[in-house]
Amino acid sequence: MVEHRDGGPRRENRSAGRPKSTPAGAGQRERARPSAKSWRQVQPARRAAYTVLRAVQEDDAYANLLLPKELDRLGLSGGDAALATELTYGTLRRLGTYDAVIGLAADRDPATIDAAVLDALRLGVHQLMSTRVASHAAVNESVELAREASGSGAAGFANAVLRRIARDNPGDWLTRVADTARSDDERIGLESSHPVWIVRALRRALVAEGRGEELDDLLDADNVSPRVTMAALPGLAEPDGTRTAYSPVGFRLRAGDPEPLVRGSGGTVRVQDEGSQLAALALTRLAPVETGEKWLDLCAGPGGKTALLAADALAHGATLEANELVPARAGLVRKAIAPVPLEVVVHERDGRELAEERPGAYDRILVDAPCTGLGALRRRPEARWRKQPSDVAELATVQAGLLRAAVGALKVGGTVAYVTCSPHLAETAAIVKQITEELGDAVEELDARAVLRRVSRGAIDLPAPASGAGHAQLWPHRHGTDAMFIALLRRVR
Ligand SMILES: C[S@@+](CC[C@H](N)C(=O)[O-])C[C@H]1O[C@@H](n2cnc3c(N)ncnc32)[C@H](O)[C@@H]1O
């Protein structure tokens, strides 16, 4: 039986506890610098992907931050860069399924396989099961990577496992993997490569709005790279491409790399998920802005939404302050808003303290709260394996504290937008319910879905939750956005 943590692959050092007598893959660790010959044998795109996989497993690196550096270091661009990206992201996303396949093909728990060899196997399995790469290339280069990592014994082991996997088609392996599941949720987790606790959390969120039947589509969407969406800062730039369906400032490039357009625009055009655009605009456009309104972005780093708030504040004569707990991220906020000619003070504080010190000060506050990020799994390929159910409870305390403090910092009649890029009910509806119950008739929840329908360029499918609450939930499979949650609370006394 393949061992999983909640259906996901184990992340502990896979060498630990490995039986000394196990054969190949296990280890003689004849690790040495790759020979000139082996450097020739492994394509740079595969080598880049493998390097990133290793760093993600060993150093807790983030693939989306490390991969561009690795591409740069190896001088990869165009098709090679695209291949390296697909191999890295695809392998990381599908790790749960691939480890289960490897466990069956090797007839041993993947946790007992040398970690560096296991990563080489995962890269090979991804190519065999999910790409059109020729199987001899997928097998040979992964075997070479295993050899470099752990010697000829490991190469023999990797060769045997990958050839066994290559013999049958991916559908057969998926059926075998599904047959190992002890429950329906575990089966769904293994097939879709999601930890079981995340499968359940996503299902609960969909069921809450009467759309439980969309779960498979959502899990599939998590395994596909999102299309790049751009935002044109209102009043400072115009959408320059195919317009997106919902955001009035969103568009897609006709083709190619967004970087030259971003640079050429002086930062007034930027890459931004359409859901993030809508979340910011739901606050700035929920009602006409009165000149002199005071706005605050309480959890601003790295500043994507701050830039949109700043542009709308500038256009309508409002003022804006921003705050971010982590100084390095506060620096990113300053950079993000630099293209907007508006004076914005960026505080570096715990948002709860900052807001508590300013009772009744603001007309509009954005609380884009720190969260598990379960709504952005498609763009953070390793995140699903890193997050733990215990993270949710810890974050919920901070989220409730930030929202409570933000409401206190509103003027009477002012509005806070509570936003997360997670659809987990404990981080979304439960936080809003807790704070509205706590504050009683001091706050009212506005109809965020109606606001979004007004802001949106086109019709937007936002079912009402059975609870009757006013929030809006966006979804990757339905809207093509990250799963952003948006609730609007108005202070009424
Ligand atoms: C979801 S991110 C915000 C994303 C940002 N609004 C954007 O669109 O680019 C949440 C941010 O809150 C920050 N944060 C975490 N705890 C905080 C706290 N207690 N007070 C203020 N900021 C906090 C995190 O460092 C993180 O940068």
Side-chain angles (χ1 to χ4, degrees):
M1 167 62 69
V2 181
E3 274 189 34
H4 291 274
R5 184 189 59 205
D6 258 338
R10 294 156 73 108
R11 295 201 58 258
E12 67 267 34
N13 182 348
R14 288 173 178 80
S15 308
R18 189 179 61 228
K20 286 243 169 15
S21 60
T22 49
Q28 302 93 329
R29 284 236 169 230
E30 300 157 18
R31 175 129 84 183
R33 286 183 63 75
S35 65
K37 184 166 169 246
S38 66
W39 275 100
R40 277 201 305 276
Q41 284 169 341
V42 178
Q43 241 194 20
R46 288 194 183 87
R47 191 170 289 289
Y50 182 68
T51 302
V52 176
L53 293 183
R54 295 280 41 243
V56 166
Q57 300 304 326
E58 296 291 304
D59 308 327
D60 280 345
Y62 294 96
N64 66 332
L65 301 183
L66 183 58
L67 182 63
K69 291 184 191 153
E70 195 55 21
L71 296 179
D72 221 30
R73 192 178 70 80
L74 294 172
L76 299 183
S77 59
D80 285 337
L83 176 62
T85 304
E86 201 290 320
L87 294 179
T88 308
Y89 276 49
T91 305
L92 285 170
R93 287 194 194 103
R94 290 251 171 217
L95 220 62
T97 308
Y98 297 157
D99 278 8
V101 171
I102 291 165
L104 288 175
D107 196 22
R108 63 195 264 195
D109 183 345
T112 66
I113 298 172
D114 179 280
V117 176
L118 182 58
D119 274 336
L121 287 171
R122 290 164 165 168
L123 193 56
V125 177
H126 174 61
Q127 293 167 75
L128 290 173
M129 291 188 64
S130 306
T131 72
R132 289 162 187 238
V133 169
S135 52
H136 65 86
V139 172
N140 292 348
E141 297 205 11
S142 292
V143 167
E144 191 51 40
L145 288 167
R147 185 193 318 282
E148 285 176 22
S150 283
S152 55
F157 170 73
N159 190 43
V161 171
L162 290 173
R163 285 191 191 285
R164 178 144 189 239
I165 294 169
R167 268 207 307 270
D168 297 335
N169 69 49
D172 291 342
W173 281 110
L174 281 181
T175 305
R176 277 175 216 151
V177 162
D179 287 344
T180 67
R182 291 158 298 191
S183 69
D184 213 35
D185 285 354
E186 193 174 304
R187 179 187 59 74
I188 294 170
L190 284 167
E191 286 175 341
S192 69
S193 195
H194 284 73
V196 171
W197 74 274
I198 294 181
V199 170
R200 291 182 178 144
L202 296 177
R203 181 194 290 116
R204 277 194 295 270
L206 285 167
V207 167
E209 56 181 41
R211 295 289 183 92
E213 74 280 5
E214 293 180 9
L215 179 65
D216 287 348
D217 289 344
L218 170 59
L219 298 174
D220 285 350
D222 278 348
N223 287 332
V224 178
S225 291
R227 291 180 63 195
V228 174
T229 49
M230 312 292 298
L233 293 182
L236 300 171
E238 287 299 322
D240 180 16
T242 310
R243 302 293 296 270
T244 49
Y246 311 116
S247 167
V249 300
F251 66 100
R252 288 187 206 288
L253 294 180
R254 287 183 185 93
D257 180 4
E259 206 38 49
L261 182 63
V262 173
R263 229 178 303 115
S265 76
T268 58
V269 163
R270 64 239 346 264
V271 175
Q272 187 174 40
D273 175 67
E274 195 180 11
S276 290
Q277 298 174 33
L278 289 171
L281 297 176
L283 180 68
T284 63
R285 301 188 178 184
L286 65 97
V289 183
E290 288 176 22
T291 308
E293 276 193 18
K294 290 183 71 182
W295 297 359
L296 171 65
D297 186 355
L298 195 57
C299 308
K305 297 184 193 70
T306 325
L308 267 185
L309 299 187
D312 261 356
L314 176 69
H316 298 286
T319 65
L320 175 66
E321 287 170 68
N323 176 67
E324 165 56 47
L325 178 67
V326 180
R329 290 173 73 80
L332 296 176
V333 176
R334 293 187 185 96
K335 210 167 142 197
I337 55 181
V340 185
L342 179 76
E343 191 81 31
V344 180
V345 176
V346 181
H347 306 277
E348 298 178 7
R349 302 276 308 278
D350 185 315
R352 293 167 287 194
E353 293 169 11
L354 181 101
E356 276 162 18
E357 287 168 13
R358 294 163 158 76
Y362 298 98
D363 297 280
R364 304 185 199 214
I365 302 177
L366 175 62
V367 179
D368 189 11
C371 69
T372 55
L374 298 190
L377 295 180
R378 48 191 198 146
R379 63 178 85 247
R380 298 180 201 142
E382 69 283 335
R384 69 188 74 178
W385 312 120
R386 291 225 169 120
K387 298 294 172 196
Q388 299 295 320
S390 56
D391 297 337
V392 177
E394 266 173 47
L395 284 161
T397 307
V398 180
Q399 291 158 347
L402 286 162
L403 181 53
R404 184 185 296 113
V407 173
L410 285 175
K411 293 177 186 169
V412 171
T415 303
V416 57
Y418 175 74
V419 173
T420 62
C421 64
S422 166
H424 195 304
L425 293 175
E427 302 181 80
T428 59
I431 300 294
V432 175
K433 184 165 182 280
Q434 178 190 339
I435 297 304
T436 48
E437 283 178 1
E438 220 177 274
L439 299 178
D441 59 5
V443 284
E444 67 179 10
E445 186 175 7
L446 304 182
D447 186 346
R449 294 185 299 280
V451 171
L452 281 184
R453 284 193 192 101
R454 249 193 350 260
V455 166
S456 176
R457 293 183 64 239
I460 182 164
D461 180 11
L462 296 169
S467 66
H471 61 249
Q473 177 65 62
L474 300 171
W475 293 103
H477 64 286
R478 204 188 299 154
H479 305 105
T481 65
D482 289 346
M484 305 295 299
F485 170 90
I486 303 156
L488 299 170
L489 298 186
R490 176 181 288 153
R491 183 167 179 182
V492 288
R493 70 167 174 78

